[in-house]
Amino acid sequence: MENSIEKKFTKSIVFVSVLIPVAVILLFSIRLKDYGINVTPLNFLPPIYATINGITAVLLVAAVMAIKNGNRKLHERLMTTAIACSLVFLLMYIAYHMTAEETKFGGEGAIRYLYFFILITHIALSVAIIPLVLFSYVRALSEQFDRHRKIAKIAFPLWLYVAVTGVVVYLMISPYYAK
């Protein structure tokens, strides 16, 4: 049963869960230079935001270990930090794609299929985890721990997959970035 705190945030969570992917799609297609804005491409960002994805994965695993060891406060801090890392990643990702030219994956054969499989599942699941993470977080903050655990059991492996595959996608495409 939904409590008043979760009910209060449901519309906001749904709104944010739709807004983020739509904004990313729209902003991904915008190059600032096409609008007469002379900006230096932020080509230094991909290794930074890939590292943030890696840090997020470590934070997620550490958070699960913390809660399994009964350290709720540490778990909460680690999860809040993981969410903050994901937000920083998102901002850097958008900034990079608004300033830099698109990078095409240059691999051929089986590696090309593997890359696109990882990329497509990474993107699809990154959209799917938004409401899962937000509802899980709100349920924890409102002390609905049974309901929090139910959704967290789904959100955790998906979010971990997204974080790890973010690093893998970067490593696979990095040789093709313009130098």
Side-chain angles (χ1 to χ4, degrees):
M1 176 154 106
E2 209 174 322
N3 80 2
S4 63
I5 294 173
E6 184 177 342
K7 197 172 200 174
K8 178 178 161 183
F9 286 101
T10 296
K11 286 182 182 175
S12 297
I13 290 171
V14 170
F15 177 75
V16 167
S17 297
V18 172
L19 176 68
I20 290 174
V22 170
V24 169
I25 289 167
L26 292 175
L27 294 173
F28 195 83
S29 64
I30 294 173
R31 298 290 183 271
L32 294 177
K33 69 178 180 94
D34 296 342
Y35 295 91
I37 300 170
N38 189 13
V39 62
T40 302
L42 302 175
N43 293 328
F44 63 91
L45 286 179
I48 296 171
Y49 62 67
T51 300
I52 290 172
N53 267 329
I55 291 168
T56 300
V58 171
L59 289 168
L60 292 171
V61 171
V64 168
M65 290 171 52
I67 201 63
K68 286 186 184 272
N69 289 327
N71 194 337
R72 186 183 295 172
K73 205 65 180 157
L74 178 59
H75 173 77
E76 182 182 332
R77 285 195 301 268
L78 290 167
M79 292 308 298
T80 300
T81 305
I83 290 171
C85 283
S86 292
L87 287 172
V88 170
F89 160 83
L90 182 62
L91 294 173
M92 287 183 177
Y93 181 80
I94 291 169
Y96 169 74
H97 284 286
M98 289 180 71
T99 63
E101 293 299 319
E102 182 181 356
T103 300
K104 303 274 188 198
F105 182 73
E108 296 177 2
I111 195 75
R112 183 172 186 79
Y113 294 110
L114 177 62
Y115 170 78
F116 282 108
F117 173 80
I118 294 170
L119 178 64
I120 290 166
T121 57
H122 169 80
I123 292 169
L125 292 174
S126 70
V127 171
I129 65 167
I130 296 168
L132 294 173
V133 167
L134 294 176
F135 276 115
S136 179
Y137 194 70
V138 167
R139 288 175 181 177
L141 291 178
S142 62
E143 298 184 356
Q144 299 177 69
F145 297 116
D146 286 343
R147 296 185 77 223
H148 164 75
R149 263 189 301 279
K150 284 180 183 175
I151 200 165
K153 285 181 180 182
I154 298 166
F156 168 73
L158 298 180
W159 193 2
L160 184 60
Y161 178 87
V162 169
V164 170
T165 56
V167 176
V168 171
V169 166
Y170 167 73
L171 292 173
M172 292 180 81
I173 200 165
S174 63
Y176 306 103
Y177 281 122
K179 303 292 180 204

